[in-house]
Amino acid sequence: MTLIRTVEPSAEPVTLAEAKAHLRLDHSSEDELLSGLIRAAREEVERAAGLALIEQSWRLVLEGWPRNGTVTIPLHPVRTILSVTAYGPEGEVSLVNPSSYQADAISRPVRIGFREAPPALRTMNGIEIDFTAGFGEAATDVPDLLRRAMLLLVAHWYEFRTAFGPKDQPVGYPAGYDRLIAPFRVRRL
């Protein structure tokens, strides 16, 4: 199973102005650095919590059809299943009819149940599921705790820009970051 982002989010959950206000900066000489830190903080929060914050498009590639007929999508929240494509042994493409599957977008992970398996698939990467994920299109759609976690990361990474040795660790993550994203992480029993 491989996840590939096909369309990046159109905006960041935290604006440059919000980050500068959080850092109490009133100059623009480091705007490019801060923009990069905001993007990196979003990507880190998304990775750590298994989320897509702002709406974006993804492709889930599977080797073969699941034995139980159910596919799970390890990214949350899934907004729309755009298409399911099956590739035959000779590379022929067939779209799976949306009436032959049902998505449970409430559960985490999201499940897609298929009524019947497609005919023979190619050996590798035989199924592609295209979908959109994210809390919404605007920063205001993203839960405040996740936005605050991003601001903590941006401020921490801005302050600790140089390399530190083993005796100076940990400097990678600020205190409180884990507590902010904890409610959004998937818990395993």
Side-chain angles (χ1 to χ4, degrees):
M1 173 181 344
T2 303
L3 269 175
I4 303 164
R5 187 183 345 241
T6 57
V7 177
E8 292 284 331
S10 60
E12 294 294 343
V14 172
T15 66
L16 180 61
E18 289 170 324
K20 288 172 76 170
H22 182 76
L23 291 166
R24 298 182 182 176
L25 292 177
D26 58 1
H27 58 83
S28 59
S29 63
E30 296 184 302
D31 285 1
E32 189 175 333
L33 169 68
L34 285 175
S35 294
L37 292 175
I38 291 168
R39 187 175 44 259
R42 175 189 43 85
E43 290 175 356
E44 171 56 24
V45 169
E46 288 178 334
R47 183 206 57 77
L51 298 171
L53 299 182
I54 297 286
E55 188 171 300
Q56 49 200 270
S57 296
W58 287 83
R59 175 171 291 149
L60 176 66
V61 181
L62 303 169
E63 292 296 316
W65 206 253
R67 288 197 169 107
N68 65 359
T70 302
V71 172
T72 58
I73 298 178
L75 194 62
H76 190 77
V78 171
R79 296 178 62 82
T80 310
I81 304 298
L82 300 171
S83 66
V84 178
T85 307
Y87 292 89
E90 302 299 320
E92 61 275 14
V93 177
S94 65
L95 286 175
V96 177
N97 188 339
S99 66
S100 68
Y101 59 85
Q102 180 179 2
D104 172 15
I106 295 171
S107 297
R108 185 167 181 195
V110 169
R111 301 173 299 165
I112 304 174
F114 292 88
R115 290 183 184 82
E116 57 188 54
L121 299 170
R122 65 183 178 195
T123 307
M124 291 187 279
N125 305 322
I127 301 167
E128 293 179 353
I129 300 172
D130 290 323
F131 62 96
T132 60
F135 288 101
E137 296 177 4
T140 54
D141 297 324
V142 178
D144 192 53
L145 287 177
L146 297 172
R147 291 168 33 85
R148 296 203 181 278
M150 284 182 60
L151 285 171
L152 270 180
L153 283 176
V154 168
H156 188 75
W157 291 342
Y158 181 81
E159 183 178 352
F160 296 103
R161 290 186 262 181
T162 60
F164 287 85
K167 66 180 178 160
D168 299 319
Q169 296 297 331
V171 293
Y173 294 96
Y177 166 72
D178 283 330
R179 290 189 64 190
L180 288 172
I181 67 168
F184 300 94
R185 284 189 166 155
V186 175
R187 290 177 173 77
R188 292 184 170 80
L189 298 176

